[in-house]
DNA sequence: CTGGGGACGGGGCCC
DNA sequence: AGGGCCCCGTCCCCA
């Protein structure tokens, strides 16, 4: 019996040893596998990081080459010491801003919220989206680095439709000047991204630096108040043009000043900066609801070239490159957002034309920043899909009579700051500039449609009323628009004024002809 | 083909 | 008289 007990105990101990050994082996295997697994994971991550860096580097290189190529094409005589302004402007429907720095102006169409997530966005205000931010300086050069600058803002929608503000900063206010082009140009900037955030809805607007290295508090004064602008914003009138008082209706919520990384791109003798504006997406609901038929490109985005410049009295050339965003954060690799680099230089061309026109037509009244361009050769950008829509509209506008001297017997003193088209009245140019800014102050009371022109709203409202004042004399058809009746009449007359140059087929409308040519002669054209 | 919006020019009225 | 403002007509484009 005792032997049996001993034997049992021995077996038990042997079993225990075996079990321990098995567990140890299993643990070892698991550990080994886990180590291998972790090694593989870390290797994959390392590979990913490397690939990502490579990709970013390639993006950056491509963008840079493209920009340089464009610059070379446009500025064949570009001196090695030329300065390149790398800038990024984005515009978006119903919002814009413009910066005016003394006799210089910086137009800042607001952009869609393509900027980064960590951008400071004003969320304090529940009001709508239309702001104008402008920076003006009475005479930046005369005032020197401490010269006063003026930031103008206007809200054209929301609780206080006609509320407009001037934000005055600078030496006049006993403060450091706001982040403006010339300020940045003369001050070495850290390679960090800065931003100016306008904290709306407060008596004071605070220009806040994202880096917390500078916070500018600026006072605001009311420009004017008035009745509901929607009733007729065009009644604001055509005040006498004043180079220093010009402002736009726009909606940048945030002004970002990007000084970073330009030197990483080019040897820059002249520090450059870039501004971008953006809408608070949260405040964009109205615009989105009312006019964002993206498929049709109604979401007007505006992307313009930079109109910044170096010192006018200096001979340095400043190259403006639009839609180039360079971000440097910590040790992160450069990210060159070249979304809009590439083809399409119409804007830049416009600016050149504009400059030429200014030089040859000193009689024009303009608040365009372009007049500040002297030796600067703006390098324009290509545009995104929406921008292309907008750009085509601009080109169409030009084709329809653009240019400060085109058409009309009246002297077109007022030039569009975006496309340099001339108008006889400031009000007209303001209306026209809505093409670029996307501002649509006329809203339909029956639906959410908004319009840039009162007449178009009136015409639209026939959709709701069912009114069709234009009737065909030859049939019972009735139309709400005279143009549609006119088009319809061709059905009866058989008029086909548009002939295809390739197959002699004829069409009643130009658009039919174009579609035909795209379908059948696209290889030719 | 129709419906409908974008944009512009011109004319009339008012100040 | 001239400029500003408003309205209308028109062209163009797209769905």
């Amino acid at each position: 019996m005792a032997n049996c007990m001993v034997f049992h105990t021995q077996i038990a101990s042997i079993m225990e040893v075996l079990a321990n050994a098995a567990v140890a082996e299993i643990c070892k295997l698991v550990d080994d596998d886990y180590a291998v697994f972790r090694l593989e994971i870390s290797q994959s991550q390392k590979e990913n990081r490397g690939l990502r860096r490579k990709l970013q580097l390639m993006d950056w290189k491509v963008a840079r080459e493209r920009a340089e190529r464009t610059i070379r094409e446009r500025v064949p005589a570009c001196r090695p010491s030329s300065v390149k302004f790398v800038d990024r402007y984005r515009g978006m429907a119903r919002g814009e801003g413009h910066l005016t720095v003394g006799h210089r102006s910086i137009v800042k169409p607001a952009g869609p919220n393509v900027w980064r997530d960590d951008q400071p966005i004003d969320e304090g205000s529940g009001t709508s989206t239309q702001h104008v931010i402008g920076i003006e300086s009475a005479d930046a050069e005369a005032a020197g680095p401490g010269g006063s600058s003026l930031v103008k803002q206007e809200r054209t929608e929301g609780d206080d439709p006609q509320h407009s503000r001037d934000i005055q900063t600078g030496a006049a206010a006993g403060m450091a000047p706001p982040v403006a082009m010339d300020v940045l140009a003369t001050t070495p900037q850290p390679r960090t991204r800065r931003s100016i955030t306008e904290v709306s809805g407060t008596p004071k607007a605070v220009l806040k630096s994202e880096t917390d290295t500078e916070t500018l508090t600026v006072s605001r004064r009311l420009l004017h108040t008035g009745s509901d602008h929607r009733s007729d914003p065009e009644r604001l009138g055509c005040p006498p043009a004043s180079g220093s008082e010009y402002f736009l209706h726009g909606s940048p919520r945030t002004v970002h000043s990007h000084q970073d990384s330009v030197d990483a791109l080019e040897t820059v003798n002249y520090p450059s900066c870039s501004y971008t504006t953006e809408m608070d997406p949260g405040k964009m609901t109205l615009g989105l609801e009312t006019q964002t038929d993206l498929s049709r490109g109604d979401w007007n985005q505006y992307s313009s070239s930079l109109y910044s410049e170096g010192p006018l009295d200096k001979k340095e050339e400043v190259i403006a490159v639009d839609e180039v965003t360079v971000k440097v954060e910590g040790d992160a690799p450069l990210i060159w957002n070249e979304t809009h680099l590439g083809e399409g230089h119409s804007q830049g061309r416009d600016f050149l034309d504009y400059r030429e026109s200014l030089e040859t037509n000193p009689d024009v009244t303009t608040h365009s920043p372009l007049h500040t361009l002297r030796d600067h050769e703006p390098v324009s950008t290509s545009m995104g899909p929406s921008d292309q829509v907008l750009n085509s509209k601009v080109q169409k506008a030009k084709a329809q009579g653009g240019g400060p001297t085109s058409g009309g017997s009246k002297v077109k003193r007022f030039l569009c700051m975006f496309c340099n088209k001339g108008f006889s009245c400031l009000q007209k140019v303001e209306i026209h500039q809505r093409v670029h800014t996307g501002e649509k102050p006329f809203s339909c009371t029956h639906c959410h449609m908004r319009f840039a022109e009162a007449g178009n709203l009136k015409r639209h409202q026939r959709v709701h009323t069912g009114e069709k004042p234009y009737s065909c004399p030859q049939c019972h058809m009735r139309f709400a628009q005279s143009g549609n009746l006119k088009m319809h009449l061709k059905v009866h007359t058989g008029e086909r004024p548009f002939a295809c140059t390739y197959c002699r087929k004829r069409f009643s409308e130009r658009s039919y002809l174009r579609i035909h040519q795209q379908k059948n002669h696209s290889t030719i054209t």
Side-chain angles (χ1 to χ4, degrees), chain A residues 163-192:
Chain A
H163 179 88
S164 66
R165 293 158 293 178
D166 281 0
I167 303 168
Q168 194 138 17
T169 65
M175 286 178 273
V179 181
M181 300 301 269
D182 44 355
V183 175
L184 290 174
T186 55
T187 310
Q189 298 294 321
R191 286 164 58 101
T192 52

Side-chain angles (χ1 to χ4, degrees), chain A residues 81-86 262-272:
Chain A
S81 64
S82 64
V83 176
K84 299 191 178 183
F85 261 73
V86 181
V262 176
D263 49 346
L265 303 174
E266 283 295 330
T267 301
V268 180
N269 301 331
Y270 194 84
S272 68

Side-chain angles (χ1 to χ4, degrees), chain A residues 406-463:
Chain A
S406 66
S409 57
K410 286 186 179 178
V411 179
K412 298 187 173 182
R413 299 171 48 234
F414 301 94
L415 301 185
C416 171
M417 64 168 58
F418 298 97
C419 69
N420 86 358
K421 186 177 179 183
F423 295 87
S424 57
C425 172
L426 184 55
Q427 188 203 21
K428 295 258 184 188
V429 82
E430 284 180 346
I431 293 171
H432 161 79
Q433 283 179 164
R434 293 174 191 157
V435 172
H436 305 287
T437 65
E439 184 193 2
K440 295 183 176 182
F442 299 96
S443 56
C444 177
T445 53
H446 297 93
C447 69
H448 290 176
M449 286 290 293
R450 300 180 67 88
F451 300 89
E453 295 188 31
N456 288 347
L457 169 61
K458 187 178 179 183
R459 185 183 61 186
H460 157 79
Q461 287 184 326
R462 292 188 196 132
V463 173

Side-chain angles (χ1 to χ4, degrees), chain A residues 357-400:
Chain A
S357 72
L358 281 171
E359 285 167 354
T360 56
N361 187 6
D363 197 32
V364 296
T365 299
T366 178
H367 314 285
S368 168
L370 302 173
H371 70 288
T372 63
L373 296 172
R374 288 287 186 270
D375 296 329
H376 316 146
E377 195 82 10
V379 174
S380 179
T381 68
S382 69
M383 296 180 176
S386 300
D387 293 328
Q388 287 170 357
V389 170
L390 193 54
N391 191 37
S392 72
K393 289 176 181 177
V394 171
Q395 288 182 342
K396 186 183 108 181
K398 284 187 68 181
Q400 287 180 348

